[in-house]
Amino acid sequence: MKHLPSLRAPFYLMKTRHNILRQPWLGMLLSIFSSCAARPPHEAGPFRPGELVELTRVVPGLRLDIRYATTHNFMGRVLYPQARAFLQRPAAEALAQVQAELQPLGYGLMVFDGYRPWRITKQMWEHTPTDKKEFVADPRKGSRHNRGCAVDLTLCDLTTGHEIEMPGAYDEMSPRSYAAYAGGTAAQRTARDLLRARMEAHGFTVLPAEWWHFDFQDWKLYPIQDVPFEQL
């Protein structure tokens, strides 16, 4: 009788795969190799030398609610090892001017996210269903968060520190997130439009699909980065 290697091969492959999965360190190595194989898109430049600065050191009285340092986000897992927010210095200084103008009105800024390493953008894209990808950046193009020139934020009450209610929630993937959404209450829309007006007066532009996302005017002058928070 002839040998039937074609019948034995699948069993062998299945057995090998099973043995690999039983070795935690092998799985970890595979994960590392996969991560290392992914690289940000190539850009020709030239670019302005970047200076990512920590927002709490530049914007007095700024409040943080860094959701990606917790499990309270649309991914449902911790993405940042530290609850910190960074922007390129000109963007951070412009944000400080917005904060100063809001304070006499009884409001302050609450930041959800600033600079985002490219590898996190890639994870978000892969996690998001196709019909919701308008709310996340394509890693093949990179995000303005990756350049340190985008900030996610809202208004908060200076007295209580509580977040001001908007027509939609942060990172909500629905029409309520649109900057021009006509629903919600009059008070919610007024708060959203006040935030937008103050941000746009200082060089930021709102993302049409996300009322909380603002791009700084000079974002094209900075390269996409993938530097982890621990190295900043």
Side-chain angles (χ1 to χ4, degrees):
M1 182 181 291
K2 295 182 179 180
H3 292 294
L4 299 174
S6 60
L7 296 179
R8 296 175 58 84
F11 173 77
Y12 172 76
L13 291 174
M14 290 174 63
K15 183 177 179 181
T16 302
R17 182 174 180 272
H18 177 71
N19 288 338
I20 289 176
L21 292 176
R22 291 181 62 185
Q23 303 296 327
W25 65 273
L26 284 175
M28 187 177 299
L29 279 177
L30 289 174
S31 176
I32 291 173
F33 290 149
S34 175
S35 175
C36 290
R39 292 288 185 271
H42 174 72
E43 299 179 290
F47 295 105
R48 177 185 293 175
E51 183 186 1
L52 289 172
V53 295
E54 191 150 14
L55 290 182
T56 53
R57 298 184 178 183
V58 180
V59 186
L62 183 71
R63 292 182 180 271
L64 300 181
D65 183 7
I66 309 300
R67 303 283 180 87
Y68 300 134
T70 73
T71 58
H72 180 39
N73 57 65
F74 79 97
M75 296 279 283
R77 65 176 185 262
V78 175
L79 299 173
Y80 294 168
Q82 302 166 343
R84 304 167 71 190
F86 305 85
L87 284 180
Q88 299 292 350
R89 181 171 290 281
E93 292 175 345
L95 204 64
Q97 296 175 12
V98 176
Q99 174 86 333
E101 289 186 4
L102 287 170
Q103 287 177 340
L105 304 177
Y107 296 116
L109 295 173
M110 177 182 289
V111 168
F112 299 119
D113 195 21
Y115 162 72
R116 179 184 303 157
W118 177 85
R119 70 192 69 186
I120 305 299
T121 294
K122 184 173 184 296
Q123 291 178 33
M124 291 177 172
W125 178 262
E126 293 170 347
H127 173 87
T128 303
T130 301
D131 64 337
K132 300 293 185 182
K133 286 194 184 296
E134 68 173 309
F135 297 104
V136 291
D138 186 339
R140 293 171 297 183
K141 301 177 181 178
S143 166
R144 288 151 201 184
H145 280 290
N146 304 151
R147 303 174 189 274
C149 287
V151 60
D152 294 346
L153 79 177
T154 190
L155 298 176
C156 66
D157 187 294
L158 282 183
T159 302
T160 65
H162 294 163
E163 181 181 344
I164 299 298
E165 192 172 342
M166 298 290 185
Y170 172 60
D171 262 353
E172 178 181 338
M173 295 182 178
S174 83
R176 287 187 291 270
S177 295
Y178 297 165
Y181 176 64
T185 68
Q188 291 169 347
R189 293 192 301 275
T190 296
R192 179 196 63 193
D193 295 345
L194 171 64
L195 175 64
R196 178 176 178 175
R198 291 299 88 217
M199 292 293 287
E200 291 185 342
H202 291 279
F204 292 90
T205 302
V206 72
L207 188 68
E210 299 175 349
W211 61 261
W212 59 82
H213 176 117
F214 291 87
D215 296 318
F216 190 59
Q217 59 191 0
D218 292 338
W219 65 267
K220 291 182 180 179
L221 302 179
Y222 297 92
I224 292 171
Q225 298 188 65
D226 195 28
V227 181
F229 276 26
E230 305 93 309
Q231 298 179 23
L232 295 175

